[in-house]
Amino acid sequence: QVRLVESGGGSVQAGGSLRLSCLASRFTYSRYLLGWFRQAPGKEREGVAVIDSDGSTSYADSVKGRFTISKDNAKNTLYLQMNSLKPEDTAMYYCAAESYPTRVASWYLAAPQSLDYWGQGTQVTVSS
């Protein structure tokens, strides 16, 4: 069974950086999409960044230029480098995956319910 485990969350001051990691176990599909999503208290889950098996990426407007998604296929690990963090980035961050995606990567940012596999999340708190 596919398992996604996030790590790297924590508390930082505004302007600081964090790098999230997501270790994917038993995820051996030749075509796939991986992504980071977040959910703040009282808000809906939203897409942050996605990357597909070809390396195509897509970002939410709110994080463009500050966050970078990447993957290390040899380590089965997805990353999210977050720089210039703002208090509004405070949320639970989730790693998610979809096997054999049928849409372009950017579509999945707005459709988190379409992804099949989810991790348990890691909390990111940014103080002003």
Side-chain angles (χ1 to χ4, degrees):
Q1 186 171 351
V2 173
R3 186 178 182 213
L4 304 175
V5 180
E6 303 96 334
S7 61
S11 297
V12 296
Q13 290 191 330
S17 298
L18 283 173
R19 188 177 80 156
L20 305 183
S21 299
C22 172
L23 177 62
S25 301
R26 301 177 182 174
F27 191 76
T28 57
Y29 302 99
S30 58
R31 288 182 55 250
Y32 57 84
L33 178 130
L34 301 170
W36 289 99
F37 297 78
R38 66 187 181 187
Q39 188 167 18
K43 294 188 177 181
E44 293 187 354
R45 191 168 297 189
E46 63 175 358
V48 176
V50 294
I51 185 168
D52 66 19
S53 47
D54 294 330
S56 295
T57 60
S58 187
Y59 295 88
D61 288 342
S62 59
V63 306
K64 281 181 181 177
R66 300 189 297 123
F67 291 9
T68 302
I69 190 171
S70 62
K71 58 186 176 74
D72 186 328
N73 293 332
K75 296 182 178 179
N76 294 326
T77 302
L78 176 71
Y79 301 101
L80 184 69
Q81 178 66 44
M82 304 186 295
N83 299 328
S84 302
L85 282 161
K86 303 176 181 180
E88 51 264 43
D89 294 319
T90 295
M92 184 71 78
Y93 282 71
Y94 298 91
C95 171
E98 172 75 359
S99 58
Y100 301 107
T102 58
R103 309 251 188 171
V104 295
S106 57
W107 184 86
Y108 291 91
L109 276 179
Q113 70 279 3
S114 298
L115 283 85
D116 290 334
Y117 307 104
W118 289 85
Q120 294 301 306
T122 185
Q123 178 67 39
V124 171
T125 302
V126 184
S127 58
S128 57

